Amino acid sequence: MKEAPLLKVVNISKAFGGVQAVLNVSLTLEKGDILGIIGPNGSGKTTLANLITGFVRPNRGTVLFKGHNITRTPPHKIANLGLTRTFQVMRPYNSLSAYKNLIVPLKSPRVRQTRGGKLGDTDAVALDILEEIGFERDARVPYKIAGSLPLGYLKRLELGRCFALDPEVIICDEIFSGLSMSEITSMIPLMERLQIEGVTLIMIEHRLRELFRLANRVIVMNFGQKIAEGIAQEVMEDPKVKKAYLGRERS
Amino acid sequence: MVDETRRKKRLDRSIKVRTEGLYAISSGAEMFYLILPRAALIVGLLALPLFLDMYWQKVLCAAGVYALLSLGFDFLAEYVGLVCLGGAFFIGTGGYISGLLNSYFGWSGLLCIPIATLGGAIFSTLVFIPALRLRGIYFAIISFMFPIFARDIITTLNIFGGTEGISALGTLPNVWTEIYLILLAVIIALFAIRRLVNEDIGLILRGIKDNDQAVKASGISITSYKIKAMFIASLLGSFGGAYLSHKYGWVGISLFAMDFSILPIAASVMGGMGSLAGPVLGAFALTPLSEALRGFGQLRVVIYCFILIGFIVYKPEGLLIYFQRKYHQFELWEKV
Ligand SMILES: Nc1ncnc2c1ncn2[C@@H]1O[C@H](COP(=O)(O)OP(=O)(O)OP(=O)(O)O)[C@@H](O)[C@H]1O
Ligand SMILES: [Mg+2]
């Protein structure tokens, strides 16, 4: 018998007033996947992430994570099950230094449980995680106020915040946007490392070329619906996908 | 006219730089530099009553209650993101619980105050829980309504002595207990809260203020932490209320008066929002000021407003940050 998928979304829908942000979207995620979600602006990608992580309640449909029905579970409980996300708009805890930002997830019930209470000095754990995520330890960066960091570091900090939770799935909402080519090139090995360490990823992206280097499967959304799904390069040949992207460029 | 050809340059005093590292504790001068402001505050507060007459000692006690409220207001606003305009509710619940315990069971003030502090804080927190999911201005408005509701419930149902209140309560043993009880409470509360905001719970609360969504995505229930913060702030207010009921030997609906909700805001602005010690200083400056201006009658409010507007416009950083800067840095004019 085949093992149940890690994450399964069935016919999920959400309307905001008259706007049908997401309509009948289904997807499955197997352990170890890197699933890409692409689509024009306003096609409902962020809303889909919000629906899966409990930040928005769906009108219809279900979300199953590791066999639990989490459709109406509040976000912090979903995070404690091991499903977390980054946010499209980077808003670190501005008044705290970078490494103190990680104390928040390290104090979650999940981390206390998985690490068996033997967390030791949380500050040291936080600094270790920052180092893993690409902050130079001896430089002063980890001690700087998070609000003063440049965007590249903020993106890493956002990933670090998720990674500190020791999660099974991270949904990354446009983690590459706003970064320079070289910054992205240095982030890609990081994502690969996360995958090797057993984290399953969903990546919402506009940077297709960089995404295709990572994702083994891609879902294309348009006007809230899933219009195509498959292997990256093949999906882009789909006429419906071409039309969605081209139609937008012309308007 | 602003002189465009020169500007103020600020440099850290060398002793400030030297006291930043751990080795500061090996040198007397550096230790003294670090301890002086804290010691001055504590010694200053504790010595002050010795130089005051009866009337001003009374004012000082009232200022202490306002200082506790201001501290709670600043903590909730700047470290949790809850702008709470319901300080009078904490005062009222603490006061009434203490007063009722005293009048029904005849327990002494010194026993009633701790019970009422805890009981008032639990009751206030329970009442505030439904409002905690609201944000910004909505929370502020609802919190402002709670003391008004409480007052109206007491007068219309005519419970707890209705508009008359409950009088002939046990008072505190003597005037020195009265004074030092509140002053010690202020000092302990100030240092405890300063400590708390840098502990893990404080970091999480500041996280909630900066970005509550990210805190949720980190697996932490923001409601349970807001409840803890609310409890801490209402402990301060309930203590103040319980204390007042035994200081006056009377409780009444004036414990729910708007002053308790509003003066802390002004004190916090004057002292410096977010500095914790600033709002405490602000309360000790503002309460006597509003007493001294009593002779001006209604005009007092106008003068009071001018002072506030002056601070918001010319010294928005507040008194404490201003003094800190003078202490840690020297200024010189340099040509541009
Ligand atoms: N909280 C909300 N209230 C009202 N409408 C919303 C809300 N969130 C999203 N929408 C609407 O739902 C639609 C989908 O938005 P969504 O943010 O999910 O798109 P997206 O694919 O993430 O776009 P982008 O690529 O620009 O980030 C948009 O029309 C948006 O205006
Ligand atoms: Mg989006």
Side-chain angles (χ1 to χ4, degrees), chain A residues 55 75-77 79-80 83-85 87 89 91-96 100 103-105 107-109 112 122 161 165, chain B residues 78 135 197-198 200-204 206-223 225:
Chain A
F55 282 89
H76 70 271
K77 291 201 173 140
N80 273 312
L83 169 55
T84 187
R85 46 105 44 105
F87 291 90
V89 182
R91 280 200 299 134
Y93 309 130
N94 274 324
S95 57
L96 305 181
K100 290 283 186 195
I103 302 295
V104 178
K107 284 288 153 189
S108 66
R112 285 196 221 172
T122 30
R161 180 177 59 65
L165 203 58
Chain B
E78 291 291 311
R135 288 206 234 171
V197 296
N198 289 311
D200 289 337
I201 174 178
L203 297 180
I204 293 173
R206 288 154 75 182
I208 291 173
K209 185 195 177 220
D210 288 344
N211 185 350
D212 57 345
Q213 304 281 63
V215 175
K216 286 185 195 166
S218 301
I220 284 176
S221 158
I222 62 166
T223 317
Y225 275 87

Side-chain angles (χ1 to χ4, degrees), chain B residues 141-164:
Chain B
I141 293 170
I142 296 288
S143 66
F144 189 67
M145 305 301 267
F146 282 139
I148 299 172
F149 289 157
R151 197 195 56 203
D152 289 353
I153 288 170
I154 290 170
T155 50
T156 49
L157 298 182
N158 202 18
I159 46 174
F160 309 147
T163 43
E164 304 280 293

Side-chain angles (χ1 to χ4, degrees), chain B residues 304-316:
Chain B
Y304 186 73
C305 284
F306 272 125
I307 294 172
L308 252 192
I309 293 170
F311 265 98
I312 291 174
V313 175
Y314 295 106
K315 279 271 169 280

Side-chain angles (χ1 to χ4, degrees), chain B residues 52-73:
Chain B
L52 300 175
D53 63 18
M54 276 266 287
Y55 172 77
W56 287 104
Q57 283 177 342
K58 276 213 170 68
V59 175
L60 186 69
C61 292
V65 172
Y66 282 114
L68 288 177
L69 286 171
S70 309
L71 184 60
F73 173 80

Side-chain angles (χ1 to χ4, degrees), chain B residues 25-173:
Chain B
I25 54 173
S26 65
S27 149
E30 272 83 353
M31 281 297 282
F32 180 73
Y33 178 84
L34 280 178
I35 292 171
L36 182 64
R38 294 165 179 83
L41 180 77
I42 297 172
V43 174
L45 265 186
L46 294 180
L48 195 57
L50 307 174
F51 303 101
L52 300 175
D53 63 18
M54 276 266 287
Y55 172 77
W56 287 104
Q57 283 177 342
K58 276 213 170 68
V59 175
L60 186 69
C61 292
V65 172
Y66 282 114
L68 288 177
L69 286 171
S70 309
L71 184 60
F73 173 80
D74 194 36
F75 166 66
L76 284 182
E78 291 291 311
Y79 294 88
V80 192
L82 293 169
V83 178
C84 178
L85 306 185
F89 192 78
F90 309 144
I91 294 283
T93 41
Y96 268 93
I97 291 176
S98 205
L100 288 168
L101 287 176
N102 182 265
S103 72
Y104 278 96
F105 302 112
W107 297 345
S108 81
L110 288 177
L111 177 63
C112 291
I113 290 177
I115 299 174
T117 303
L118 204 63
I122 293 171
F123 182 78
S124 305
T125 308
L126 289 176
V127 169
F128 270 83
I129 284 176
L132 287 179
R133 61 182 60 243
L134 302 173
R135 288 206 234 171
I137 186 84
Y138 301 103
F139 177 79
I141 293 170
I142 296 288
S143 66
F144 189 67
M145 305 301 267
F146 282 139
I148 299 172
F149 289 157
R151 197 195 56 203
D152 289 353
I153 288 170
I154 290 170
T155 50
T156 49
L157 298 182
N158 202 18
I159 46 174
F160 309 147
T163 43
E164 304 280 293
I166 311 167
S167 50
L169 298 178
T171 50
L172 294 166

